[in-house]
Amino acid sequence: MVGNLSLPQVLNHIEDDKLEIGITLYNNFQSESPHYHTQAYEYQYIIKGTTEYMDIETGQEYTFQQGDFYVTPPGIKYAQRSQPDTEILFIKTPPGNDKQIITTTDKVKEWLRGK
């Protein structure tokens, strides 16, 4: 892991103010609140499992599986849900918490629940 990570970390990591690198593990089905980043480009590589992504403004849905790599530029409003046993390597630059949570429609809320 790399970055100036704000949460207490149990793993050793390299302090860096230029980017963040980490691995997110989803043991159970999980979705994230719809959001966008004001500055960061977020790169994700699917190590294992499946994650789904919805562009909130277009309604376009994407499914990413083991071996897939994608980027979300700043300003893109999106929702993401991950299936159980999914591992994602992420790289974010610039680092820091620039996440802006957005309100959304009932349709997106249902999608996030897996319906």
Side-chain angles (χ1 to χ4, degrees):
M1 296 173 57
V2 174
N4 289 330
L5 307 172
S6 59
L7 297 176
Q9 302 298 317
V10 295
L11 300 173
N12 290 331
H13 64 281
I14 300 167
E15 289 287 331
D16 193 301
D17 61 359
K18 295 176 282 314
L19 79 154
E20 287 180 17
I21 301 173
I23 295 176
T24 304
L25 306 172
Y26 298 100
N27 293 321
N28 302 304
F29 176 85
Q30 188 171 337
S31 59
E32 293 188 36
S33 298
H35 66 278
Y36 67 94
H37 295 276
T38 59
Q39 300 176 45
Y41 286 81
E42 189 166 11
Y43 302 86
Q44 295 194 29
Y45 175 77
I46 311 304
I47 297 169
K48 178 174 90 170
T50 302
T51 193
E52 297 161 295
Y53 171 108
M54 177 192 282
D55 183 314
I56 298 293
E57 294 179 329
T58 68
Q60 182 72 38
E61 295 179 32
Y62 305 89
T63 300
F64 300 103
Q65 298 176 339
Q66 183 175 340
D68 289 339
F69 181 79
Y70 66 99
V71 62
T72 305
I76 300 294
K77 297 175 181 174
Y78 69 98
Q80 185 172 345
R81 62 186 185 189
S82 297
Q83 297 302 319
D85 299 319
T86 296
E87 292 182 33
I88 301 174
L89 171 72
F90 69 87
I91 302 166
K92 192 169 98 171
T93 185
N97 187 4
D98 68 338
K99 185 186 288 189
Q100 300 295 309
I101 304 297
I102 58 173
T103 57
T104 191
T105 65
D106 288 339
K107 179 181 176 184
V108 173
K109 290 175 187 174
E110 286 181 26
W111 183 87
L112 286 167
R113 289 192 296 266
K115 298 181 179 184

